[in-house]
């Protein structure tokens, strides 16, 4: 029996080796490549907000004070019940030529759909090139628009990085940021090897013509989430998609502060992933399954001291490869403090994801 477990363990090691070296390594060891031609066309920045009055008041100045010379800010009020619309109007009075407001009313056919609100915002946008973020985000630099949109000179979709604020002495904060880092490594890497599968709405850009060429969110309009990743999964190709990971191109958001709220957020994200293309579901499932089985099998084999030198050697080899890949990636994405905790955070995250998978199998999340 233990012989078969060892064979399975070696197989899991090989799968992990392929993912880390040949897929994730494509991003980790890549160099930032600037477009050959400059981009200076007008840009529309879209922010969809639902009951985000406090965040808008705090974060909108970071968007308004961008150094890019030609942009408009399209603020979409998604049926808010707080003072979101009033805050938008206050900023509009100060910057009437720069801000456009789209006030979304209740619609029974599209009730509760952020995709409907975003569609109205995209229709109202004056420009072909669109850059998206959220009300609870802020650009980390005044050059955010410039950094993200410079890639429009060659591509129609630009995938950016949405970081979370660092909180000292918080394990939950490190776990959330580690999961965000791993997700970014995955979607940047898959895009790098020519198979893009998702982006994050906190920092994402694409063209208006591309959006309408596929009838927008029509293919998944009944799914409440997925205005970012499902849309990108549908339209992104190796020819129309690129990455932007310069430090000045990041956005930053405040993470959840309780495990309960974070788990609820991740349950929604995981449920959305079930609608990805089959090839992406298979590869992502294979990576997670090989992670889980690698650690479970290693624990069993080490406990019985079965060929423990071989087992320990493969664990150590994987650890070195993983730390190199995550280390180089973390340096690119300004998450260096997470590298030293990688083994602990990875194992903890694996079992959190297993819990979420089981929970979602039993009952689907219904919140947005």
């Amino acid at each position: 029996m233990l012989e078969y477990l060892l064979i399975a363990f070696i197989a899991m090691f090989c799968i992990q080796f392929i993912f880390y070296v040949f897929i994730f390594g494509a991003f980790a060891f890549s160099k930032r490549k600037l477009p050959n031609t400059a981009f200076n066309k007008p840009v529309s920045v879209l922010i969809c907000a639902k009951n985000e009055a406090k965040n808008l008041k705090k974060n909108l100045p970071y968007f308004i004070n961008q150094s890019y010379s030609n942009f408009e800010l399209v603020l979409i009020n998604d049926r808010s019940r707080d003072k979101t619309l009033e805050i938008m109007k206050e900023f509009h009075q100060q910057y009437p030529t720069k801000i456009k407001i789209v006030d979304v009313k209740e619609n029974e056919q599209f009730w509760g759909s952020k995709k409907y609100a975003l569609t109205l915002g995209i229709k109202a946008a004056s420009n072909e090139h669109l850059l998206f973020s959220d009300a609870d985000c802020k650009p980390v630099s005044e050059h955010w628009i410039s950094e993200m949109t410079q890639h429009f000179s060659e591509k129609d979709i630009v995938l950016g990085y949405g970081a979370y604020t660092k909180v000292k002495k918080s394990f939950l904060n490190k776990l959330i940021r580690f999961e965000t880092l791993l997700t970014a490594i995955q979607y940047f890497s898959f895009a790098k090897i020519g198979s893009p599968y998702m982006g994050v709405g906190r920092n994402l850009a694409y063209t208006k013509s591309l959006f309408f060429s596929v009838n927008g969110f029509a293919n998944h309009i009944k799914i409440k989430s997925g205005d970012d990743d499902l849309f990108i999964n549908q339209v992104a190709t190796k020819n129309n998609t690129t990455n932007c990971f310069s430090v000045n191109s990041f956005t930053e958001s405040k993470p959840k502060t309780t495990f309960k709220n974070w788990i609820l957020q991740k349950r929604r994200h995981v449920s959305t992933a079930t609608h990805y293309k089959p090839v992406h579901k298979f590869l992502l499932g294979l990576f997670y399954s090989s992670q889980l089985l690698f650690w479970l099998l290693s624990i069993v084999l080490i406990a019985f001291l079965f060929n423990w030198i071989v087992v320990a050697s493969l664990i150590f080899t994987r650890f070195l490869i993983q730390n190199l890949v995550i280390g180089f990636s973390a340096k690119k994405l300004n998450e260096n403090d997470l590298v030293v905790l990688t083994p602990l955070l990875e194992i903890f995250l694996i079992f959190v994801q297993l819990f979420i998978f089981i929970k979602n199998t039993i009952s689907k999340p219904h919140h947005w």
Side-chain angles (χ1 to χ4, degrees):
M1 180 65 178
L2 290 175
E3 289 88 348
Y4 292 112
L5 292 183
L6 178 62
I7 293 172
F9 172 75
I10 294 172
M12 294 306 105
F13 169 81
C14 292
I15 293 171
Q16 287 282 289
F17 180 87
I18 291 170
F19 269 100
Y20 275 104
V21 174
F22 297 104
I23 299 179
F24 304 152
F27 168 67
F29 306 122
S30 66
K31 293 183 179 180
R32 184 185 172 206
K33 184 179 178 182
L34 295 175
N36 295 322
T37 55
F39 180 85
N40 54 12
K41 295 181 180 179
V43 174
S44 294
V45 177
L46 289 86
I47 299 175
C48 187
K50 183 176 182 180
N51 300 323
E52 294 279 10
K54 291 182 179 179
N55 283 325
L56 284 172
K57 193 168 186 177
K58 179 176 59 179
N59 293 330
L60 277 182
Y62 292 95
F63 291 98
I64 293 168
N65 296 320
Q66 287 289 297
S67 63
Y68 196 75
S69 59
N70 192 356
F71 75 96
E72 68 171 0
L73 193 56
V74 181
L75 303 179
I76 308 161
N77 175 41
D78 185 12
R79 302 161 295 113
S80 298
R81 293 183 175 86
D82 65 355
K83 294 185 178 181
T84 290
L85 183 58
E86 285 80 356
I87 296 297
M88 289 179 175
K89 288 180 178 179
E90 287 178 13
F91 277 95
H92 180 262
Q93 288 179 350
Q94 297 179 56
Y95 307 95
T97 60
K98 185 167 284 189
I99 292 178
K100 179 181 293 184
I101 297 176
V102 177
D103 186 21
V104 180
K105 305 297 183 182
E106 295 285 356
N107 185 310
E108 291 184 4
Q109 185 178 359
F110 301 108
W111 186 86
S113 174
K114 181 184 178 183
K115 295 172 185 175
Y116 172 65
L118 269 177
T119 300
L120 296 184
I122 292 171
K123 286 182 177 180
S126 305
N127 304 311
E128 163 70 1
H129 297 90
L130 312 175
L131 179 55
F132 298 83
S133 192
D134 290 335
D136 62 348
C137 294
K138 66 177 182 180
V140 301
S141 163
E142 65 178 11
H143 305 297
W144 170 64
I145 296 178
S146 302
E147 293 283 328
M148 284 291 291
T149 60
Q150 64 178 325
H151 298 276
F152 271 137
S153 60
E154 296 177 349
K155 304 290 183 179
D156 292 325
I157 300 172
V158 186
L159 308 179
Y161 182 56
Y164 282 108
T165 305
K166 298 177 182 179
V167 179
K168 293 181 179 180
K169 299 179 180 179
S170 169
F171 179 76
L172 175 61
N173 178 261
K174 285 182 170 58
L175 184 64
I176 291 173
R177 289 169 47 230
F178 182 75
E179 190 272 337
T180 303
L181 171 63
L182 282 186
T183 300
I185 291 173
Q186 289 175 6
Y187 70 73
F188 280 142
S189 297
F190 275 86
K192 190 71 178 176
I193 65 173
S195 184
Y197 76 93
M198 70 161 282
V200 291
R202 304 188 300 276
N203 199 2
L204 177 66
Y206 51 80
T207 60
K208 194 173 185 178
S209 57
L210 176 66
F211 180 81
F212 287 113
S213 71
V214 295
N215 295 319
F217 305 121
N219 286 354
H220 45 87
I221 192 69
K222 293 183 179 180
I223 303 170
K224 287 188 176 182
S225 58
D227 55 276
D228 46 9
D229 57 346
L230 284 186
F231 178 73
I232 296 302
N233 194 258
Q234 174 191 356
V235 302
T237 68
K238 65 179 181 180
N239 296 318
N240 68 6
T241 305
T242 190
N243 298 326
C244 182
F245 50 87
S246 58
V247 174
N248 285 334
S249 72
F250 300 165
T251 59
E252 184 178 274
S253 309
K254 283 193 173 181
K256 301 296 184 182
T257 55
T258 67
F259 272 96
K260 180 180 179 181
N261 289 337
W262 179 60
I263 292 294
L264 288 173
Q265 182 187 55
K266 297 317 299 177
R267 285 189 65 195
R268 176 174 62 83
H269 292 168
V270 170
S271 67
T272 304
T274 61
H275 301 282
Y276 288 175
K277 292 175 182 176
V279 63
H280 296 133
K281 286 194 291 184
F282 171 76
L283 289 172
L284 294 171
L286 180 62
F287 174 68
Y288 172 74
S289 300
S290 63
Q291 265 187 315
L292 176 62
L293 289 173
F294 177 86
W295 285 114
L296 289 177
L297 291 170
S298 65
I299 292 170
V300 173
L301 292 169
I302 289 292
F304 284 96
L305 295 178
F306 184 79
N307 280 346
W308 69 270
I309 295 178
V310 173
V311 174
S313 297
L314 292 181
I315 292 173
F316 181 72
T317 301
R318 180 188 179 274
F319 173 76
L320 284 180
I321 295 171
Q322 182 188 49
N323 261 42
L324 277 173
V325 171
I326 291 182
F328 276 91
S329 300
K331 185 176 181 180
K332 284 183 171 68
L333 303 177
N334 197 26
E335 303 286 8
N336 294 314
D337 62 307
L338 299 175
V339 178
V340 68
L341 295 174
T342 291
L344 173 63
L345 293 171
E346 179 195 23
I347 293 172
F348 199 92
L349 184 60
I350 286 172
F351 287 100
V352 168
Q353 290 170 328
L354 181 62
F355 168 79
I356 290 173
F357 175 78
I358 294 171
K359 191 76 174 176
N360 278 9
T361 302
I362 297 172
S363 62
K364 300 293 182 183
H366 299 291
H367 65 286
W368 172 58

